[in-house]
Amino acid sequence: MKLAKSRFALALIVALNLANQAPNAYSQSTVVKKGEPITLNFTNAEIESVARTMSILTGRNVVVDPRVKGTMSLNTEKPVSPGVAYNQFLALLRLQGYTVVQTEGLDKIVPEADAKLQSGSVSVAGESGANLAGNQLVTQIIRLQHENANNLVAVLRPLISPNNPINVNPGNNSLVITDYADNLRRLARIVAALDIPNATDLEIVPLVNANASDLAPLVLRLIESSAGAGGSGGGDASFKTTIVAETRSNALIVRAANQARMSLAKSLIQKLDQPSSNSNGAAGNIYVVYLKNANATQLATTLRAATSASVGGAPTGAPNAPSAAGQGAGSAATGGQIQADVATNSLIISATEPQYRQIRAVIDKLDARRAQVFVESLIAEVSADKAAEFGIQWQGALGNAGDSVIGLMGTNFGAAGKNIIGLSTPSATGFPTPGAGLNLGAAKQTNGVYVLGFLARFLESSGSGNVLSTPNLLTLDNEEAKITIGQNVPFVTGQFTNTGASTGSVNPFQTIERKDVGLTLKFKPQISENGTVRLTIFQEVSSVAGTSTSGPTTNKRTIETNVLVEDGSVVVLGGLLQDDYSGTQEKVPGLGDLPIFGNLFKSEARGRKKTNLMVFLRPVVVRDASSTERLSVDRYEYMRGRQVSAQPEESKLVPINDSVIMPEFQNSKAPASAKPVAP
């Protein structure tokens, strides 16, 4: 058997040498069995000839790109399998800048620089497709679980051939690399070593003596100060240590950047969570809690009611039930367990430590910053008045002086100042003043006296008004706010006079009640969880129309309603659309109805008044300090801009060339010395 194999190998060597020397003379009658070991002996052979020989030995369909030129030397000291021989052939091609791309059962030998453009094998890290021959050029997708793919490009790029690409898909945080299979296996191991979580898992550290709400910010401040001194993680949020207080179980939830940081946090918590002879010092079971946002008086009333109800209805088997019933019931019923100190806005709590922790957890939830509501109101009123008057009057005497009977004929319309007879007749104060408008008259001399015999009057008047009021108001959630802009007008409610008294002193007097006349806006907002604002609104617009013998007469428009408005939306509350028309006509029956000539026997006046009034409202929810500051800065700069634009022009004759201007807005966090001084 050994002799047969030796003869086969010798025959194959001869065949290969013949193929090297004269490729066209290679006999197709030579039979080579698959899987038989062979000895390679190529010296300066054409790459195309060696590729054709490898195709026969391995049974692969090999195609050589026309751009692939050159020779190669491929020798083995002992017989090798066709697979090993083909792998050595690929390795030699790789050293000469060529590679093989497999596509649908066809092996194409192409330049390495163009291999990435050919369709080849694509695999995902961890799948069977990654187990290819080491000298095979493939494309592999590596998905990352923890590390950012862009961060690894700078690490992997130097380890990849310059002709082969590496790309990042940010959508699913993966790497797409085209390279040789053996190098891809090395890169996959490097990526697996680097793709580890940056932070530890969550750990719950229960506390025995300390309060979780008090200890959490202290430990976090110490951890962050040590991280700032040592410096790790840069600005990445995933490297930060997070500590959250879980008040229900009095525990801390900790997440750190690494195990060392986690150990440091747990060590600090353990050192701070130490028992003492008296956890509250000399105060014993009396605790003082300073409030940040809530009102101490209101919160104390709420807590007393809550603790009284919980003590009265607590089950006998509940934790701390004996101490609560023995120490808290009497004091809660009498209001002595929780008291408010108005001067410092703080609560004084008399309770055992377990009770205090429970009450403190409730205080932390109720003492939160409350949202505010800024309400912008717009009241727009547009009015237009038009009036027109036209009339002709005439008077004439029939007869002469001394006649027993004198006739009179004529027309007269209107009141004093507009009546032809009234204008001709003097009063105690003299002749009356003619009415407004164009007055045309003619006087006739009768018996040596000029008498007004003809009067024509023409008048047309128009007037318009545009009143715009924009009251704005800011208030806390669930707190009523009110703004009033107007005058305080006196109204007579009673009077006394001693009329007709012949003796005794006369002491007349009047009783007066003053009322606000102008604009009044009163509302109470309530913010829901989804951002909708419920408003209870009362709005009144009043003005003084005139004064009569009984006192002033006022116009009054009032709206009182409840509405739901989205945050930042505009809602119309109500309005008034009023159109008044008036017309009067005075004429001589029959004659006043004649066409054209009838105008000589009549007087006519017409008037029309239109009023449009609408009220709009826009609530804006302000939840934090930065939103409040932005809102204030906007209004502040608006008023300051108006003051700047209202500055007087420069004048040398009148040496007052400036007025007071509000200072430029300065951030409240800046030092006091940096704030500008008003001019």
Side-chain angles (χ1 to χ4, degrees), residues 409-423:
M409 184 176 62
T411 61
N412 64 92
F413 309 109
K418 303 177 182 179
N419 187 278
I420 186 172
I421 297 178
L423 292 174

Side-chain angles (χ1 to χ4, degrees), residues 201-276:
D201 292 335
L202 296 176
E203 289 201 22
I204 299 177
V205 182
L207 301 179
V208 179
N209 303 285
N211 185 284
S213 300
D214 295 336
L215 197 59
L218 177 61
V219 175
L220 185 60
R221 189 184 310 166
L222 294 173
I223 294 294
E224 288 180 348
S225 62
S226 61
S232 71
D236 194 349
S238 61
F239 288 93
K240 294 182 179 180
T241 302
T242 304
I243 301 177
V244 179
E246 208 288 304
T247 55
R248 186 183 61 85
S249 59
N250 194 37
L252 295 178
I253 303 175
V254 185
R255 181 179 182 182
N258 46 55
Q259 289 295 338
R261 191 69 60 188
M262 175 64 74
S263 300
L264 175 60
K266 294 172 68 175
S267 176
L268 285 173
I269 293 172
Q270 184 179 4
K271 291 178 181 178
L272 294 173
D273 187 27
Q274 296 294 329
S276 60

Side-chain angles (χ1 to χ4, degrees), residues 299-337:
L299 187 56
T301 304
T302 303
L303 291 175
R304 281 197 295 267
T307 53
S308 176
S310 63
V311 169
T316 56
N320 304 324
S323 61
Q327 300 182 24
S331 56
T334 59
Q337 186 181 13

Side-chain angles (χ1 to χ4, degrees), residues 136-185:
Q136 183 69 43
L137 194 68
V138 296
T139 299
Q140 188 168 7
I141 300 173
I142 304 176
R143 295 192 180 97
L144 304 179
Q145 301 297 327
H146 306 286
E147 185 58 66
N148 192 320
N150 289 305
N151 296 340
L152 293 184
V153 173
V155 178
L156 301 179
R157 178 73 266 181
L159 305 178
I160 302 174
S161 173
N163 292 328
N164 298 325
I166 175 173
N167 298 300
V168 174
N169 180 19
N172 59 359
N173 194 37
S174 60
L175 296 170
V176 181
I177 307 174
T178 301
D179 204 357
Y180 292 98
D182 56 353
N183 193 36
L184 284 176
R185 286 192 285 270

Side-chain angles (χ1 to χ4, degrees), residues 20 42-47 50-51 70-74 88-89 92-93 96 98:
N20 184 39
F42 293 97
T43 303
N44 294 326
E46 292 291 336
I47 295 177
V50 178
T71 61
M72 65 168 56
S73 298
L74 181 59
Q88 291 181 358
F89 173 63
L92 195 58
L93 286 175
Q96 293 187 231
Y98 305 114

